[in-house]
Amino acid sequence: MKKRRLFWVAACLSLLLAGCAFTEEITTTTVVVKKDGTVEEHIITDFDKDYYTISELEQSLNQQIADYNRSAGEGAAALKEVEQTDEGGQVRVQFVYASYEDYEQIPVSDRVFFCGTVSEAYDAGYDFVPMIKQESGETISKEAVLELGDQRIVIAEEALTVKVPGKIAYVSEGVVVTDKKEAVLPENTGTLSYIIYE
């Protein structure tokens, strides 16, 4: 998780060293897929105020967002909030991306994140794996997964929490469903994690 997902904040902090408020229910690094296709990224990481300030961090992040939007188009990404916890030991950062492609491409271009239908994922070249049906606990084959063509799917390679705008129906091995619309992806094992939701 820290290696890639937190890279966005970590990259800015290393530089300093050399639509909505942050919701209270989010307590760990989380990606929220919205029904309208936008993606929210909530990063929670350690904050060392001895080396930098919140305003310096926010200024650096805003600059990186502006640089990205100049190439990707205005509104492709936005920094919504940067805040320090009451205890001061952590910083919370919220980004909003116009699409999953923007989230996938910024700040590192080699991370994997896909959101669309099963058919679209197949057309994009993703290879499917057997998945676990949440209602029964049974495992379905990757051939059976392909038959779920119109259902929505999220594919990612990072260890993080993912919230989706529908009930989770199937997940790949290692993914832990913590709520009907939320799942925790395992630590990076070199394989992709899959979530299919209704």
Side-chain angles (χ1 to χ4, degrees), residues 138-157:
E138 70 174 301
T139 299
I140 66 170
S141 67
K142 60 182 181 179
E143 291 77 18
V145 173
L146 289 174
E147 294 177 4
L148 304 172
D150 291 333
Q151 292 212 27
R152 306 291 296 181
I153 188 169
V154 169
I155 302 172
E157 64 177 343

Side-chain angles (χ1 to χ4, degrees), residues 66-134:
D67 291 343
Y68 178 77
N69 284 341
R70 273 194 290 272
S71 61
E74 193 61 36
L79 175 64
K80 298 299 289 185
E81 186 166 3
V82 179
E83 68 175 19
Q84 187 176 347
T85 61
D86 291 338
E87 296 78 14
Q90 289 187 319
V91 61
R92 302 171 177 232
V93 180
Q94 180 185 353
F95 299 98
V96 176
Y97 304 93
S99 68
Y100 82 85
E101 291 97 338
D102 293 306
Y103 169 76
E104 184 180 44
Q105 293 174 28
I106 182 171
V108 286
S109 60
D110 63 340
R111 68 184 178 190
V112 175
F113 192 87
F114 176 88
C115 183
T117 66
V118 171
S119 294
E120 289 168 343
Y122 177 78
D123 291 341
Y126 287 99
D127 188 23
F128 291 94
V129 297
M131 297 185 69
I132 302 166
K133 187 174 183 178
Q134 290 305 288

Side-chain angles (χ1 to χ4, degrees), residues 2-136:
K2 294 183 182 297
K3 181 179 179 183
R4 291 193 177 201
R5 180 59 54 214
L6 300 185
F7 179 90
W8 190 212
V9 169
C12 296
L13 300 187
S14 65
L15 288 173
L16 294 171
L17 290 171
C20 50
F22 202 103
T23 51
E24 287 299 323
E25 70 269 16
I26 295 179
T27 58
T28 187
T29 296
T30 301
V31 172
V32 182
V33 177
K34 310 293 283 188
K35 189 174 290 187
D36 63 1
T38 59
V39 173
E40 293 179 0
E41 179 181 25
H42 301 261
I43 298 174
I44 302 176
T45 190
D46 293 338
F47 177 67
D48 192 339
K49 57 183 177 293
D50 292 335
Y51 292 97
Y52 47 84
T53 66
I54 284 290
S55 61
E56 289 174 323
L57 172 61
E58 186 170 8
Q59 182 179 5
S60 182
L61 292 172
N62 272 320
Q63 183 59 57
Q64 292 193 43
I65 287 289
D67 291 343
Y68 178 77
N69 284 341
R70 273 194 290 272
S71 61
E74 193 61 36
L79 175 64
K80 298 299 289 185
E81 186 166 3
V82 179
E83 68 175 19
Q84 187 176 347
T85 61
D86 291 338
E87 296 78 14
Q90 289 187 319
V91 61
R92 302 171 177 232
V93 180
Q94 180 185 353
F95 299 98
V96 176
Y97 304 93
S99 68
Y100 82 85
E101 291 97 338
D102 293 306
Y103 169 76
E104 184 180 44
Q105 293 174 28
I106 182 171
V108 286
S109 60
D110 63 340
R111 68 184 178 190
V112 175
F113 192 87
F114 176 88
C115 183
T117 66
V118 171
S119 294
E120 289 168 343
Y122 177 78
D123 291 341
Y126 287 99
D127 188 23
F128 291 94
V129 297
M131 297 185 69
I132 302 166
K133 187 174 183 178
Q134 290 305 288
E135 286 187 353
S136 64

